[in-house]
Amino acid sequence: MTTTSAYERMIEARRPPDLRSGVLGWLHKNLFNGPINSAVTVITAALLAWALWPMLQWSVFQADWIGQTRADCTGEGACWVFISARFETIVYGFYPPAARWRVDIVFAMLAILVAWLVIPRLPYKRWVGLFALVGFPVIAYVLLIGGSFGLTYVPTREWGGLMLTLAIATIGIAGSLPLGIILALGRRSSMPLVKSVCVVFIEFWRGVPLITVLFMASVMLPLFVPTEVEFDKLLRALVGIMFFWSAYMAEVVRGGLQAIDKGQNEAGQALGLGYWQRMGLIILPQALKLVIPGIVNTFIALFKDTSLVLIIGLFDLLAIIRAGLTDPSWLGFATEGYVFAALVFWIFCFSMSRYSQYIERKLHTGHKR
Amino acid sequence: MNTPAASASNEPMIEIKRLNKWYGDFHVLRDIDLTVARGERIVICGPSGSGKSTLIRCINHLEEHQQGEIIVGGVLMTQDVKRIEQIRRQVGMVFQHFNLFPHLSVLENCCLSQVWVQKKPRREAETLAMEYLERVQIADQAYKYPGQLSGGQQQRVAIARALCMRPDVMLFDEPTSALDPEMIKEVLDVMVELAHEGMTMLCVTHEMGFAKTVADRVIFMDQGQIIEQAPPESFFNNPRSERTQLFLSQILGH
């Protein structure tokens, strides 16, 4: 028997059924949903407490915070006096104390520029970005190196600490992203020469360990160039870091380029847009958005690997803390030193990670369903 | 219609002479000869793989041909980028999968090439864009992103985007094949209106109703060559070649 039916009346939209909500509802649903789940929750909480409690004891509750010398380290736990007593050196390295205000100005400008570019609500992004790329490097260079406008000359071998770490990381990030984008585009080029140059460049720098690159930059390069020509050691390291990471960046960006449908390029061609217009206005904005996690991942790796410059005798944050450990009046504070260094690196890298997640969410709204 | 002042009005819009194209060893286009007059509306049909999309993609150099000549608006197509861009500025194209730019709003999609190719001030570009969006009846969605629109709406935006460049010819590459049945009509309506305004059009489509209504000439292609071309009445009522008869019986037979 077959039945036919037709509904005259439209069904009105109703509210969804009221499921349990609020903190208790969440706890019940996620943590105590049945006996096994509850047991797992309790055991995990106990394990966490067991592992974290001694750490908190050492680093906070039984730690020494105030003082000037080793004699102030009386508690059971960590002695942060070691850090606070050498805080200036950790930040500025061997930069002459009388000129440290110059570093402060550069720090402040960098912080303001980054904040301005990172906070979406602030206006004039284009001009601030242009200034950050063109004006700021010149001002920072003049201020940090000195030797002009009545500022005393400070050679790069006196740079160090957090300041050096940030300088390498900022320049490395600002240099490797555009270079990586150019390499990625070059690798997909239809011109055989451009393509093979980019492939060779990428594969060479990607196939060599960063430590080797740094050694080559500091030891081998001077062997090949005439002795009159002397490149700054920091500059050599910077170029090495930039080339090394741009190869990684190129492969990340290439992944994004490959994910863009070729119809996008064809639509741009049909509208009469030239190659650079198609890349800059259509392909790259979409491709880079897709690979934000990969780009930020590379930034984070670059930031942490700046500490490798210590092997060629540059005193970055980690190296300067290590140097402090050999101070006879502060023997035996290695743990505090390394924990502090780890914390500083972690703060910067975690901030980058969070910002990348935020910007991904922001860019995704409304574009795709 | 803004036709270039220099070109005589009786000069053909598009001239294709003995065009040949290969993909590797595969001969996709074989000795194609085709002349399109200004204001002429042509529908190209044929089984899949017959080379009809490839043919119209050669006209704005999305595909490169190996032999023969293509002359668009008096400009001979060569490898020269300047000439290719000169031809592309005269030719608008609508794709099967719309190819709107998903990271730009509908309005920005329509303004992009006006601002960057024609170097128009943004205000002027937006005014013209709104005019064309109005004509395809989608002006109320101007600030949405393509991903928020239905397929039919997206294709109408794509038509408006191409028209914003004030082209002399419009190429349609299966504009309704990717659409749900209930959205095909809204796109065809826009195309019919465009045809009535005198736009030169080349449409690759299987919409035979559209061909009957607006086409001046229907071209049937198979295996890379033009088998038959005729005005729609004689094409549909008295097809001469057997291949055409078979094809028509297959697509009209159900």
Side-chain angles (χ1 to χ4, degrees):
Chain A
M1 190 185 85
T2 56
T3 54
T4 59
S5 67
Y7 291 98
E8 283 299 320
R9 197 168 60 86
M10 300 304 287
I11 299 171
E12 273 182 44
R14 293 186 295 260
R15 295 188 60 76
D18 187 23
L19 297 171
R20 279 219 244 175
S21 55
V23 178
L24 279 178
W26 185 89
L27 280 176
H28 179 84
K29 190 176 162 200
N30 292 290
L31 298 178
F32 298 99
N33 177 18
I36 295 178
N37 196 344
S38 306
V40 169
T41 302
V42 169
I43 292 169
T44 313
L47 275 173
L48 270 178
W50 177 75
L52 283 179
W53 182 245
M55 248 195 265
L56 274 175
Q57 285 277 343
W58 177 82
S59 63
V60 181
F61 301 125
Q62 299 180 349
D64 295 301
W65 296 88
I66 304 153
Q68 304 294 323
T69 64
R70 191 176 180 162
D72 297 310
C73 298
T74 49
E76 295 273 301
C79 185
W80 300 117
V81 178
F82 170 70
I83 300 297
S84 57
R86 350 189 96 252
F87 192 71
E88 294 253 304
T89 320
I90 290 174
V91 174
Y92 301 103
F94 312 115
Y95 210 86
R100 284 179 183 171
W101 59 271
R102 281 149 55 179
V103 182
D104 292 337
I105 291 180
V106 173
F107 274 157
M109 282 176 76
L110 181 65
I112 291 171
L113 283 176
V114 169
W116 198 298
L117 292 173
V118 151
I119 300 171
R121 263 171 303 150
L122 296 176
Y124 310 119
K125 282 267 177 332
R126 189 173 299 186
W127 298 110
V128 176
L130 195 68
F131 176 73
L133 282 178
V134 181
F136 174 67
V138 175
I139 296 173
Y141 179 80
V142 168
L143 275 173
L144 292 178
I145 287 273
S148 53
F149 301 105
L151 300 168
T152 49
Y153 174 64
V154 183
T156 54
R157 79 182 107 85
E158 292 179 15
W159 298 17
L162 181 64
M163 164 217 164
L164 183 66
T165 296
L166 287 181
I168 297 173
T170 315
I171 297 169
I173 286 173
S176 64
L177 181 60
L179 192 54
I181 291 172
I182 300 285
L183 285 169
L185 292 175
R187 192 169 184 160
R188 286 166 56 86
S189 166
S190 54
M191 288 181 269
L193 187 67
V194 174
K195 185 177 172 149
S196 40
V197 166
C198 291
V199 170
V200 169
F201 186 96
I202 291 170
E203 296 304 336
F204 173 77
W205 290 100
R206 220 157 49 119
V208 182
L210 183 54
I211 292 198
T212 321
V213 173
L214 292 172
F215 272 137
M216 282 199 296
S218 72
V219 185
M220 282 171 62
L221 197 63
L223 298 179
F224 296 120
V225 293
T227 40
E228 314 81 82
V229 189
E230 209 208 327
F231 293 109
D232 188 274
K233 198 200 311 192
L234 176 61
L235 181 67
R236 279 179 278 155
L238 274 174
V239 171
I241 287 172
M242 226 185 273
F243 282 0
F244 180 86
W245 287 108
S246 67
Y248 278 86
M249 201 61 85
E251 290 300 283
V252 171
V253 173
R254 189 165 69 99
L257 292 175
Q258 273 170 349
I260 305 299
D261 185 79
K262 73 175 170 47
Q264 292 289 309
N265 191 41
E266 287 175 354
Q269 286 180 311
L271 287 168
L273 294 162
Y275 175 82
W276 292 106
Q277 290 175 333
R278 295 197 302 272
M279 293 304 128
L281 298 167
I282 300 168
I283 308 297
L284 281 173
Q286 297 182 57
L288 293 180
K289 190 183 87 187
L290 280 179
V291 292
I292 288 172
I295 290 175
V296 175
N297 196 27
T298 312
F299 283 172
I300 288 173
L302 185 156
F303 190 91
K304 291 189 296 183
D305 280 5
T306 55
S307 56
L308 286 175
V309 296
L310 77 87
I311 62 147
I312 57 165
L314 292 171
F315 282 87
D316 79 311
L317 178 73
L318 185 65
I320 215 112
I321 289 174
R322 272 174 62 91
L325 301 176
T326 59
D327 182 344
S329 56
W330 283 101
L331 288 177
F333 289 93
T335 318
E336 282 87 343
Y338 290 133
V339 166
F340 179 74
L343 183 71
V344 173
F345 276 107
W346 182 82
I347 288 170
F348 279 101
C349 295
F350 185 66
S351 314
M352 284 194 262
S353 158
R354 296 303 301 189
Y355 181 65
S356 112
Q357 286 171 25
Y358 162 76
I359 204 79
E360 253 178 273
R361 273 199 307 274
K362 183 174 132 56
L363 288 177
H364 263 285
T365 49
H367 290 223
K368 290 208 179 80
R369 271 197 284 196
Chain B
M1 285 287 302
N2 61 332
T3 46
S7 59
S9 58
N10 57 353
E11 177 192 83
M13 187 65 239
I14 300 172
E15 265 187 283
I16 298 174
K17 294 175 191 162
R18 293 195 76 75
L19 181 74
N20 278 283
K21 175 172 175 58
W22 289 262
Y23 286 126
D25 285 337
F26 180 56
H27 199 172
V28 265
L29 294 178
R30 306 178 188 179
D31 294 342
I32 303 281
D33 283 298
L34 178 64
T35 305
V36 183
R38 284 183 190 276
E40 199 179 6
R41 298 168 294 257
I42 291 178
V43 164
I44 304 172
C45 59
S48 66
S50 58
K52 48 198 192 312
S53 284
T54 310
L55 173 62
I56 67 164
R57 286 160 60 88
C58 280
I59 293 170
N60 64 352
H61 203 79
L62 290 185
E63 301 282 353
E64 208 173 302
H65 60 277
Q66 283 94 18
Q67 279 177 7
E69 273 183 10
I70 299 176
I71 301 164
V72 182
V75 181
L76 174 69
M77 173 100 66
T78 61
Q79 292 295 320
D80 181 30
V81 179
K82 284 272 174 306
R83 278 181 184 231
I84 294 172
E85 282 176 4
Q86 201 182 339
I87 288 174
R88 283 177 180 163
R89 279 196 288 273
Q90 304 177 51
V91 180
M93 187 160 196
V94 175
F95 298 88
Q96 182 179 3
H97 295 287
F98 333 133
N99 296 351
L100 292 178
F101 306 131
H103 61 303
L104 299 177
S105 71
V106 164
L107 186 61
E108 287 166 334
N109 262 280
C110 295
C111 291
L112 191 74
S113 56
Q114 293 190 67
V115 170
W116 290 90
V117 179
Q118 299 178 330
K119 316 284 178 202
K120 276 192 205 165
R122 180 157 287 278
R123 290 284 294 277
E124 203 181 301
E126 283 182 5
T127 312
L128 186 70
M130 286 310 284
E131 209 174 282
Y132 279 112
L133 288 172
E134 203 85 55
R135 274 173 55 182
V136 301
Q137 293 171 20
I138 204 145
D140 51 333
Q141 317 274 3
Y143 297 97
K144 284 194 178 168
Y145 287 94
Q148 296 166 302
L149 305 182
S150 75
Q153 291 173 321
Q154 290 193 46
Q155 194 61 298
R156 285 186 281 145
V157 172
I159 294 172
R161 177 177 74 174
L163 291 176
C164 280
M165 295 298 284
R166 294 196 182 278
D168 299 325
V169 197
M170 285 287 283
L171 308 176
F172 291 85
D173 186 3
E174 307 206 22
T176 54
S177 306
L179 296 176
D180 291 338
E182 78 261 32
M183 291 169 185
I184 290 175
K185 188 176 177 294
E186 65 186 56
V187 172
L188 287 180
D189 285 347
V190 170
M191 289 169 64
V192 170
E193 199 191 313
L194 198 59
H196 290 328
E197 286 165 14
M199 174 65 79
T200 314
M201 294 165 78
L202 269 88
C203 309
V204 171
T205 183
H206 295 116
E207 296 298 329
M208 291 304 133
F210 174 76
K212 284 175 190 161
T213 329
V214 303
D216 297 312
R217 196 168 13 145
V218 181
I219 292 178
F220 175 70
M221 283 182 75
D222 192 19
Q223 293 177 4
Q225 65 186 81
I226 294 178
I227 303 283
E228 183 160 349
Q229 44 182 321
E233 314 84 64
S234 61
F235 181 85
F236 289 109
N237 299 331
N238 314 301
R240 277 176 292 169
S241 102
E242 266 178 44
R243 280 294 298 128
T244 316
Q245 289 163 9
L246 181 64
F247 176 74
L248 286 176
S249 73
Q250 277 164 347
I251 62 164
L252 300 173
H254 55 260

